[in-house]
Amino acid sequence: MFPQMTRTAAQRPNRRSVLRSAAIGLGAVAAGSTLGPLSSLGPLSARAGASPTQLTGKTAVVVGSGFGGAVAALRLGQAGVQTTVLERGRRWPIQADGNTFCTVNEPDGRSAWFSNHPPINQLTRLQTIPRYPGLIDRIAGNGIDAVYGVGVGGGSLAFGAFTPQPRRKDFTQVFPSQIDYDELDRTYYPRAKKMLGTSPLPADLLADPSYKGARAWLDYIKDFGGEPVLHDFCVDWDVVREELAGRKPASYSVGEGPYGTNSGAKNSVDHNYLPSAEATGNVTILPLHEVMEIREISGQDGFEVSVKRIDESGAVLETKTLVVDYVFMAAGSFHTSALLATAKAKGSLPRLNDQVGKGFGNNGDFLIARGLLRRDCGAKQGGPGVALMYDDDNPYGPISMSWEASPFPDIAGGSMMANLIQVISDERGSIDYNPAVGRAELNYPHGEADSDVDARGRNFAGRFHERTETRFGSPATGVPIYTRLADFGSGCTWHGLGGMVMGQAASYEGQVHGYKNLFVVDGSLLPGSSALVNPALTITAVAERCLDHFVESRA
């Protein structure tokens, strides 16, 4: 069905090879094996000359391989820690035929994590697709849905490639004072940008005919009376140029990206952090390995991690238990919080505190579509974006708004645009273990009628329409659509944050309260918001900070 997914029998990992990989990743020192050479990639510590061999002999599991997990894998590997990354999804190597991923308007099993229907795009949501370990896992919550990338690379495979850095004044409004913005700005944001290869949309691409949507968005910002903030994207623009020249499959140049980028233009962490981690010789990545339970070892500081290995049909090939010194949670805000909330409820990690699972936020996201625009934006819009704008004069608090390129159907005729409004709100939900169903659930008690995020989002959508359409004599154009029934508004988030919030369930350096060798380094550590911007860069920078503190404190 999906030729690039099919392995020959010789290519399929057998039980012996997987156990051998686990042994290499977890027990090489105990077995007397010689460690591989340590990588010299990047600074190990920004503040101390910590030797990368001072943790040699220790073992770690990293649960998940997205932004935070990839940072942990690299820095642990550089420090000499024998590290195994457990990733429930598959690898997604870019195929020469341009058919690694499905597309937004033609989804198949590759789109969804073992689901009968595509997870996004209301025009295709009712289609039936084969069940497969696809790219996006949509969590159906009580009051909100949340989507997460699945595969080696985690959320970086499916995110929109937006990597803006928040402004200081917004950051300090959201984050606790113990997280020093100047330190992040001086050390960790630059390090994350360098590793991820971020940069703004180049001028030559902005001028290309495929990018009329980007130019239209800049004109709309001017109409509003705002200033465009040109920010970075996690994109290799040379590959996009190859797309436009016809030498690579059209991906970002036609608005694709949520289901992956067939040209390979997205600088997901499987292109940078993870191969660098594997190059240390101390890191093993095991795809299609799903963590089921984490247990403390009585009288010790280590853990037992129960994991099942599955095939591409979802069948369980084997289960096993790994014993390690350290566990780094990086499975995404929902799954990290769900694993730990379940462990607390079932008594396998009884010392977790009552803040586990609390503080889940949707990053203040409010998605809208604007139709029948008075400007031609192009149906297949070159992207992924260009700039955001801030409205600091908004009477209900500061707001940001960005444009997201989309591959709209041709019937849209270039008259539609998708925009993400972001607000700073205290509105929060939780991830709670429900014994009646035997699993953790996402609970968000803020309906469309009483949600602060929705109310402020709707207000600003109207404000933007009045200033960019109505006052130009065109009130019937650009009317915003934001009903949750169509996956707009705040009903479904790509940026779920919190659940293991710093200063509450964990320390400001990611150490989980109650366990000195258990850490959280993904979006669950953030306080429900990344301060009016998409969170990928901040998750990466905060994870870098956490790993520096870990290495320095344990050296």
Side-chain angles (χ1 to χ4, degrees):
M1 184 176 301
F2 311 125
Q4 75 284 4
M5 300 178 187
T6 304
R7 297 192 187 101
T8 65
Q11 292 172 314
R12 292 190 183 97
N14 57 35
R15 185 175 187 274
R16 178 178 296 177
S17 67
V18 171
L19 290 175
R20 180 177 180 274
S21 296
I24 292 172
L26 293 170
V29 176
S33 300
T34 302
L35 293 176
L38 294 173
S39 172
S40 60
L41 293 165
L44 178 64
S45 169
R47 294 173 296 176
S51 166
T53 62
Q54 289 170 317
L55 283 163
T56 297
K58 298 295 185 180
T59 58
V61 153
V62 178
V63 183
S65 62
F67 292 104
V71 170
L74 174 57
R75 303 311 174 192
L76 290 170
Q78 288 178 325
V81 179
Q82 292 296 299
T83 303
T84 297
V85 180
L86 299 173
E87 168 56 56
R88 64 188 175 127
R90 51 161 288 198
R91 288 187 184 268
W92 293 92
I94 299 300
Q95 303 291 326
D97 63 2
N99 194 33
T100 300
F101 305 104
C102 64
T103 61
V104 170
N105 292 313
E106 296 182 358
D108 55 34
R110 292 171 291 179
S111 67
W113 177 257
F114 292 114
S115 174
N116 295 321
H117 303 285
I120 60 172
N121 186 1
Q122 287 299 93
L123 297 177
T124 65
R125 286 288 305 281
L126 297 180
Q127 293 182 16
T128 300
I129 58 174
R131 293 178 67 84
Y132 186 78
L135 191 67
I136 293 179
D137 183 14
R138 180 166 178 148
I139 303 301
N142 301 311
I144 195 172
D145 286 4
V147 295
Y148 297 88
V150 187
V152 176
S156 75
L157 296 168
F159 88 127
F162 285 59
T163 49
Q165 179 175 327
R167 301 181 300 181
R168 181 193 310 273
K169 64 180 180 180
D170 303 322
F171 185 94
T172 55
Q173 184 177 343
V174 169
F175 283 78
S177 60
Q178 290 83 354
I179 308 300
D180 183 1
Y181 183 87
D182 288 336
E183 180 186 47
L184 289 178
D185 185 52
R186 181 176 60 250
T187 301
Y188 298 111
Y189 279 129
R191 186 189 299 180
K193 291 177 182 180
K194 181 178 180 180
M195 284 297 302
L196 294 172
T198 70
S199 58
L201 177 68
D204 64 306
L205 293 182
L206 178 59
D208 189 90
S210 297
Y211 280 78
K212 64 172 64 176
R215 297 191 297 274
W217 170 236
L218 295 178
D219 288 337
Y220 275 117
I221 293 176
K222 182 178 179 181
D223 289 346
F224 181 83
E227 292 291 333
V229 178
L230 304 174
H231 61 79
D232 282 0
F233 295 87
C234 206
V235 173
D236 184 337
W237 300 111
D238 284 337
V239 176
V240 179
R241 293 184 179 98
E242 292 284 289
E243 292 182 29
L244 293 171
R247 293 187 289 269
K248 292 284 187 179
S251 298
Y252 275 133
S253 57
V254 294
E256 292 290 344
Y259 285 146
T261 308
N262 279 314
S263 67
K266 184 181 292 184
N267 288 332
S268 47
V269 296
D270 56 326
H271 293 176
N272 38 70
Y273 273 103
L274 291 176
S276 298
E278 291 177 298
T280 68
N282 297 320
V283 177
T284 300
I285 300 172
L286 299 180
L288 296 173
H289 279 65
E290 185 169 5
V291 173
M292 305 306 296
E293 185 181 45
I294 302 165
R295 297 184 297 274
E296 67 174 37
I297 300 175
S298 180
Q300 301 180 33
D301 293 324
F303 302 92
E304 294 178 343
V305 181
S306 296
V307 59
K308 64 180 181 181
R309 180 169 67 94
I310 64 173
D311 64 17
E312 292 180 353
S313 73
V316 178
L317 302 179
E318 65 174 328
T319 60
K320 53 192 173 186
T321 297
L322 310 179
V323 179
V324 293
D325 297 308
Y326 305 107
V327 172
F328 287 78
M329 300 298 299
S333 58
F334 174 79
H335 292 286
T336 285
S337 302
L339 278 167
L340 295 179
T342 300
K344 176 177 172 59
K346 292 187 173 182
S348 59
L349 292 175
R351 288 179 279 154
L352 295 173
N353 72 17
D354 291 337
Q355 294 302 308
V356 169
K358 303 299 189 290
F360 178 91
N362 77 336
N363 198 39
D365 288 358
F366 187 83
L367 181 65
I368 68 171
R370 297 161 52 234
L372 300 176
L373 293 165
R374 59 189 176 89
R375 286 192 170 93
D376 182 9
C377 301
K380 303 295 187 291
Q381 301 166 353
V386 58
L388 60 79
M389 58 157 280
Y390 292 99
D391 182 9
D392 290 319
D393 298 325
N394 190 282
Y396 300 101
I399 281 179
S400 71
M401 185 174 181
S402 57
W403 162 74
E404 300 181 343
S406 302
F408 287 112
D410 291 334
I411 193 173
S415 63
M416 292 194 70
M417 181 176 282
N419 294 99
L420 181 64
I421 296 169
Q422 293 176 310
V423 307
I424 294 176
S425 171
D426 293 331
E427 200 165 86
R428 297 291 182 269
S430 59
I431 294 122
D432 309 291
Y433 180 75
N434 183 349
V437 296
R439 65 176 184 272
E441 297 179 325
L442 172 58
N443 295 304
Y444 197 77
H446 308 285
E448 190 166 13
D450 59 7
S451 164
D452 174 58
V453 172
D454 281 72
R456 293 166 66 188
R458 288 192 298 266
N459 178 274
F460 182 74
R463 175 179 168 92
F464 190 85
H465 177 260
E466 191 281 326
R467 293 177 67 168
T468 61
E469 303 285 352
T470 302
R471 73 170 176 166
F472 288 91
S474 190
T477 61
V479 176
I481 302 167
Y482 41 67
T483 174
R484 289 190 183 185
L485 293 175
D487 264 2
F488 293 111
S490 68
C492 180
T493 182
W494 288 72
H495 303 144
L497 301 170
M500 291 296 297
V501 176
M502 56 178 64
Q504 299 177 31
S507 75
Y508 300 106
E509 290 74 42
Q511 180 183 325
V512 175
H513 290 320
Y515 293 92
K516 72 175 187 178
N517 286 356
L518 177 61
F519 297 84
V520 173
V521 292
D522 61 6
S524 67
L525 187 62
L526 271 60
S529 169
S530 56
L532 298 182
V533 296
N534 297 32
L537 183 68
T538 296
I539 292 171
T540 308
V542 169
E544 287 277 17
R545 177 181 179 274
C546 289
L547 266 296
D548 263 9
H549 279 273
F550 168 77
V551 172
E552 292 170 12
S553 66
R554 303 306 167 99

